Amino acid sequence: TAPAGVPPAAPAGVPPVETPVAVTMTTPRAKAVFSRATGTLCELVLDGKTILRDSAGIVAGPQLQVERAFTDADNWMRRPFMEKGMSQLSHHARAIRVEDDKVFTSVRVTGAKSGGFEFETVWSFGEDGSVTAENTATPFGDVPALPRVGTFQRLDPSLENLAWYGRGPWENYVDRCEGCDVGLRSEER
């Protein structure tokens, strides 16, 4: 059994499908497709409902992002951030590999003028349909102070209700955490 709070692993027996273009993992409740061209998730279907899917060349799956709108308190970091090209990231897919019931993706993310990050994700799949992404971003080269480190993804436009456990109800930053309680949140469009 899995530790408390961790969904049990998906049942074995459904081997991944690997092609020159993608790797597909299927469980009884989920299908996850990983693009070799982008190095990230390009389609996710849970219980028959599309959660995300690349469309017209636009990457939907999670990509590393290190930028947010600068506030007045960020003036000290704005110039070095811009001078190092961190507002213009390029994502370069590396190898995708499958080991046991996990998918390992790797993307080299480079700034326009200096360093960047090796962005690696370990994807695992629970029998309850959950998909877990464990991200690691390792900086290289000349990387300035960052206002944010996180991922960005595009959900399917048909999704109208969203629920999450975390801070909210609005987006928040380290300096605003006190103003955003942790709890079960939901939003409708």
Side-chain angles (χ1 to χ4, degrees), residues 4-168:
V6 176
V14 181
V17 175
E18 296 193 56
T19 70
V21 222
V23 172
T24 303
M25 294 290 286
T26 305
T27 70
R29 297 184 61 193
K31 177 177 105 172
V33 182
F34 299 88
S35 166
R36 292 191 191 277
T38 64
T40 191
L41 193 61
C42 64
E43 181 180 9
L44 179 62
V45 178
L46 299 175
D47 290 329
K49 178 75 174 161
T50 299
I51 304 302
L52 65 77
R53 178 180 290 143
D54 287 359
S55 175
I58 297 172
V59 177
Q63 290 189 300
L64 181 68
Q65 184 181 43
V66 296
E67 187 174 19
R68 66 168 167 84
F70 285 99
T71 66
D72 289 342
D74 295 332
N75 284 337
W76 65 274
M77 77 168 73
R78 182 188 320 252
R79 179 181 296 247
F81 184 86
M82 295 300 182
E83 287 175 351
K84 304 290 185 197
M86 292 289 117
S87 64
Q88 302 167 38
L89 296 180
S90 297
H91 297 77
H92 310 279
R94 304 281 206 173
I96 295 178
R97 73 182 198 281
V98 178
E99 290 180 17
D100 300 322
D101 60 347
K102 295 183 183 207
V103 175
F104 295 78
T105 60
S106 178
V107 177
R108 185 173 180 91
V109 182
T110 57
K113 299 178 185 172
S114 65
F117 307 87
E118 295 296 343
F119 182 58
E120 298 175 337
T121 306
V122 179
W123 299 87
S124 55
F125 309 88
E127 62 184 28
D128 63 352
S130 62
V131 178
T132 302
E134 297 176 41
N135 298 307
T136 303
T138 306
F140 64 83
D142 191 8
V143 176
L146 302 172
R148 171 188 193 276
V149 176
T151 59
F152 177 81
Q153 56 218 347
R154 290 174 174 83
L155 299 179
D156 189 89
S158 69
L159 299 174
E160 294 181 354
N161 302 317
L162 179 67
W164 72 96
Y165 178 79
R167 293 199 179 271

